[in-house]
Amino acid sequence: MAPTQTQPDNAIEIRGLNKQYAPRGSQPAKQALKDVSLSVPRGSFFALLGPNGAGKSTLINIMAGLVRKSSGSVKIWDRDLDREERDARLAIGIVPQELNLDPFFTPRELLEVQAGLYGVPKAERRTDEILATVGLSDKADSYARTLSGGMRRRLLVAKAMVHTPPILVLDEPTAGVDIELRQQLWTQVKAMNQRGTTILLTTHYLEEAEELCDQVAIINHGQVVAHDTTANLLRKVDGKTLTLTVAQPLSALPPGLAVFDATLNTARNALVFHYRPSKTSIAEILAAVQNAGLTITDLSTEEADLQDIFLQLTRSAA
Ligand SMILES: Nc1ncnc2c1ncn2[C@@H]1O[C@H](COP(=O)(O)OP(=O)(O)OP(=O)(O)O)[C@@H](O)[C@H]1O
């Protein structure tokens, strides 16, 4: 895209976005997005999480120009989607969920066609460089139908990059992709982020979001229910697990421990406590276990993770 004098603080800025799908047959109208406001900081690696049907694809499809919003504003790289649609669209590359590639084209041909669609002059095309970035140089001239699922996914990433957008959106990019290929894709996407590309990712793999993304937004029933840095979100969860292995054989939960949210792990001869550090101190639990006449031989604690936050937020609003 054309070079800009100033770079916006936010790569994407969404204000008061609503989407109402019209009724279809016997299906009533559906409010898929309700007053969504969201800022994606420039340079961030941003995760958009939500259960099925939460509205993630609707949001991405609005940015891609595939779905018309009902109201609200969307700015992509400071370009308003209503007033400067072409420039807004040039600032974003979208990697779709489906592996829809023409099987009779080679990766090189597909990238050339895509560059043509975006009006990238021949002299400015970076086909070889992009193929190298996604690790497909040696497949440049093979038919797309001969590529593995993981290679096709990387080819879709390459397609989204031909017009050098400063923002890359990946919609569930690793669904059905095996672990090794997932790692390869992430290595490449991480490198792009380190070189300055803003990445917006939707995923069902929460551990992936936790590991890769510095910002997380959670959307549920069309509303943003959380948005923060990953570190802050993790700090906010009030939930821990404490596992205590004891010397005495356990067959039932001692009555004195019934006040806690505790279960038995018979395989490890251990008591597992789920507790909220803001309400219960670890000392209280340890004292109760000792009062029950048990000798602790081992102890471990687990912090809450993104999965816990996700469940807390999406369950309570269900
Ligand atoms: N074209 C449409 N017409 C009517 N309703 C729709 C349409 N597309 C999506 N919806 C509804 O809007 C809501 C949000 O759907 P959307 O596809 O945006 O969710 P999602 O978070 O992307 O889910 P998934 O992870 O399953 O793709 C759902 O209730 C869905 O059934």
Side-chain angles (χ1 to χ4, degrees):
M1 68 178 294
T4 41
Q5 309 289 287
T6 51
Q7 298 206 320
D9 290 339
N10 289 319
I12 299 172
E13 213 169 287
I14 296 171
R15 290 285 163 265
L17 185 63
N18 286 287
K19 174 64 196 177
Q20 169 111 5
Y21 286 109
R24 271 190 311 191
S26 60
Q27 283 190 329
K30 171 83 198 173
Q31 180 89 30
L33 295 175
K34 293 173 206 159
D35 197 24
V36 168
S37 293
L38 202 61
S39 301
V40 176
R42 171 167 51 87
S44 60
F45 202 135
F46 195 104
L48 181 64
L49 308 176
N52 285 338
K56 305 177 298 291
S57 297
T58 300
L59 188 65
I60 286 175
N61 287 337
I62 288 172
M63 293 193 281
L66 300 171
V67 168
R68 281 228 152 262
K69 62 187 169 61
S70 304
S71 63
S73 80
V74 177
K75 274 189 179 175
I76 300 171
W77 212 250
D78 241 359
R79 270 63 168 211
D80 188 284
L81 201 54
D82 291 328
R83 292 195 301 269
E84 303 152 281
E85 185 174 355
R86 190 182 146 72
D87 282 346
R89 209 66 73 54
L90 280 174
I92 204 162
I94 297 194
V95 184
Q97 240 174 63
E98 302 84 34
L99 288 174
N100 53 349
L101 285 166
D102 191 319
F104 297 105
F105 276 84
T106 67
R108 186 190 302 287
E109 288 165 348
L110 278 168
L111 296 198
E112 286 292 326
V113 169
Q114 185 78 358
L117 287 177
Y118 273 96
V120 182
K122 279 227 155 45
E124 289 172 25
R125 294 190 188 167
R126 304 178 302 126
T127 303
D128 286 322
E129 183 192 327
I130 294 171
L131 285 171
T133 304
V134 299
L136 285 176
S137 299
D138 55 343
K139 296 284 176 188
D141 300 308
S142 312
Y143 285 129
R145 69 183 148 88
T146 66
L147 304 181
S148 70
M151 288 174 184
R152 287 177 201 207
R153 185 66 68 185
R154 283 183 276 145
L155 183 51
L156 286 175
V157 175
K159 255 181 94 179
M161 288 165 62
V162 291
H163 56 295
T164 327
I167 307 165
L168 194 66
V169 175
L170 299 125
D171 193 6
E172 291 282 345
T174 51
V177 175
D178 72 36
I179 291 178
E180 196 185 332
L181 292 169
R182 228 187 269 175
Q183 291 300 348
Q184 280 179 20
L185 182 68
W186 289 137
T187 305
Q188 279 141 7
V189 175
K190 261 197 258 184
M192 287 167 64
N193 180 242
Q194 273 153 13
R195 288 196 298 268
T197 305
T198 304
I199 311 284
L200 172 64
L201 163 78
T202 76
T203 180
H204 274 98
Y205 297 102
L206 296 181
E207 62 287 10
E208 210 161 76
E210 191 171 328
E211 189 192 319
L212 292 163
C213 298
D214 45 35
Q215 300 247 342
V216 173
I218 299 178
I219 179 167
N220 195 31
H221 297 303
Q223 285 176 303
V224 175
V225 292
H227 172 206
D228 212 329
T229 61
T230 313
N232 275 348
L233 264 186
L234 289 170
R235 260 197 296 274
K236 274 187 205 159
V237 214
D238 191 22
K240 273 190 161 188
T241 303
L242 168 69
T243 303
L244 300 176
T245 310
V246 295
Q248 295 77 9
L250 289 170
S251 55
L253 201 64
L257 302 180
V259 291
F260 300 104
D261 174 5
T263 50
L264 278 189
N265 177 337
T266 40
R268 287 179 58 187
N269 200 52
L271 295 158
V272 182
F273 295 86
H274 298 283
Y275 70 105
R276 294 176 157 239
S278 67
K279 300 246 161 48
T280 309
S281 75
I282 203 165
E284 270 174 69
I285 301 174
L286 295 177
V289 171
Q290 270 157 1
N291 286 341
L294 299 170
T295 314
I296 298 165
T297 57
D298 199 7
L299 173 158
S300 67
T301 60
E302 259 176 63
E303 300 287 335
D305 58 16
L306 212 45
Q307 177 97 27
D308 299 306
I309 305 174
F310 184 79
L311 290 175
Q312 267 183 25
L313 289 169
T314 54
R315 262 194 207 139
S316 56

